[in-house]
Amino acid sequence: MSFGKNPHVAKAEAAEQKAQVAKDTAASELAWREAGRQWERAADRETDDKRRTLYTEKAEAARANADNPQVEGDALQEAIADKSISKLLN
């Protein structure tokens, strides 16, 4: 790590990636909440007002994702399963 870098930014980005590839909604929610915490910590350490505002917005967005989990992935999996079942039945 070099001087002047905010280590929480990398941790927050890693938590977001983990949330996006999570297999179930509980794991996704937990990862989004962790991303929110890390973005908040990054904002607290930041001296630049623009970046502080950006990190705060990202923290709020991560918490919103945790509160409203994306069901698109689950719906997509169900649609794929329904199509494969219908192919088997025909």
Side-chain angles (χ1 to χ4, degrees):
M1 181 182 344
S2 63
F3 291 103
K5 293 266 184 173
N6 192 336
H8 301 292
V9 172
K11 292 176 184 179
E13 290 171 344
E16 284 183 347
Q17 284 182 335
K18 192 174 182 180
Q20 291 171 352
V21 298
K23 303 248 186 240
D24 62 348
T25 56
S28 177
E29 178 183 348
L30 186 65
W32 278 119
R33 292 202 187 283
E34 177 62 23
R37 279 191 293 273
Q38 292 298 332
W39 282 121
E40 193 66 37
R41 292 181 75 186
D44 289 343
R45 289 183 60 135
E46 194 56 55
T47 57
D48 182 31
D49 288 336
K50 275 187 176 179
R51 280 187 263 168
R52 183 180 302 134
T53 303
L54 175 67
Y55 297 162
T56 302
E57 290 172 359
K58 286 187 176 195
E60 291 170 2
R63 288 187 185 104
N65 282 335
D67 293 338
N68 300 317
Q70 299 292 329
V71 293
E72 294 169 2
D74 295 337
L76 179 63
Q77 292 297 329
E78 289 176 12
I80 291 170
D82 289 341
K83 286 182 182 178
S84 63
I85 290 173
S86 65
K87 286 181 182 178
L88 293 174
L89 295 175
N90 290 333

